[in-house]
């Protein structure tokens, strides 16, 4: 998605450890118009897949996920990283190692919101080594729900997550694919 690539080039900051900071439009401040365009794009890509539910993980996945849910007219479920006091029902859970925070979180969703008849679209902000998405796939497996695919806003294609998912036969759609960081500059696949 050209618009997204331009925005990353303009506003993205490359941090040590191959981390891209996009705090001005995705990870802290959110640009609703850009998120809307992103949601429309994911909705277009998965329009023939009879998606019944979007699944993401808090917090940065929520913005693109909600715009996709709005465009597809389906509910958006986000896995929680901390157990809320109101979540006293049965849960599906998975362990996820965080690439940026270097900690393992247990993510969970209430069993009542993910069911066997669901056709799920998983959405997340970044794909690095695939841990977050693997945790969400695990949760769908526990629910016996079908995963139609995964939509990622920014894939760091030089890391292992893309291969991990494609090797499992998962349909992966990434709107921006970064091939490398070079002296603080972002290069995209196909540049
Ligand atoms: P993975 O689980 O694929 O290794 O990493 C994906 C998760 O880590 C995303 O949900 C995102 O929150 C975070 N993440 C990974 N790489 C980056 C990055 O370069 N920048 C930012 N802002 N978050 C990242």
């Amino acid at each position: 998605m050209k618009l997204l690539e331009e925005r990353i080039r303009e506003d993205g900051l490359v941090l040590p450890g191959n981390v891209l900071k996009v705090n001005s439009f995705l990870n802290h401040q959110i640009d609703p118009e850009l998120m809307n365009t992103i949601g429309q794009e994911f909705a277009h890509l998965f329009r023939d897949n009879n998606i019944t539910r979007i699944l993401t993980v808090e917090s940065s996945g929520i913005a693109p996920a909600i715009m996709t849910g709005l465009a597809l007219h389906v509910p958006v479920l986000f896995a929680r990283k901390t157990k809320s006091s109101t979540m006293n029902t049965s849960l599906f859970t998975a362990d996820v190692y965080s690439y940026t925070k270097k900690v393992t979180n247990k993510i969970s969703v209430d069993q009542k919101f993910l069911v066997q008849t669901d056709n799920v679209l998983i959405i997340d902000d970044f794909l690095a080594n695939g841990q977050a998405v693997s945790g969400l796939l695990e949760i769908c497996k526990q629910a016996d729900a079908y995963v139609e695919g995964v939509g990622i806003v920014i894939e760091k294609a030089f890391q292992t997550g893309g291969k991990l998912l494609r090797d499992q036969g998962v349909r992966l759609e990434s709107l921006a694919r970064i091939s490398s960081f070079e002296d603080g500059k972002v290069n995209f696949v196909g540049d």
Side-chain angles (χ1 to χ4, degrees), residues 18-20 27 99-100 124-132 156:
N18 282 332
V19 171
L20 180 69
N27 290 137
Y99 179 82
T100 44
D124 205 6
D125 59 339
F126 272 89
L127 180 66
N129 294 317
Q131 297 299 301
K156 292 185 290 182

Side-chain angles (χ1 to χ4, degrees), residues 76-96:
V76 177
L77 177 63
F78 65 94
R80 305 192 77 135
K81 287 178 179 162
T82 50
K83 197 169 171 256
S84 140
S85 58
T86 57
M87 276 174 93
N88 47 13
T89 44
S90 303
L91 304 173
F92 297 124
T93 62
D95 285 332
V96 171

Side-chain angles (χ1 to χ4, degrees), residues 19 46 56 71 81 87 113 121 131 134 136 144 149 175 188:
V19 171
F46 288 93
T56 187
K81 287 178 179 162
M87 276 174 93
F113 294 125
L121 170 57
Q131 297 299 301
S134 295
L136 294 171
D144 216 3
L175 301 188
F188 293 97

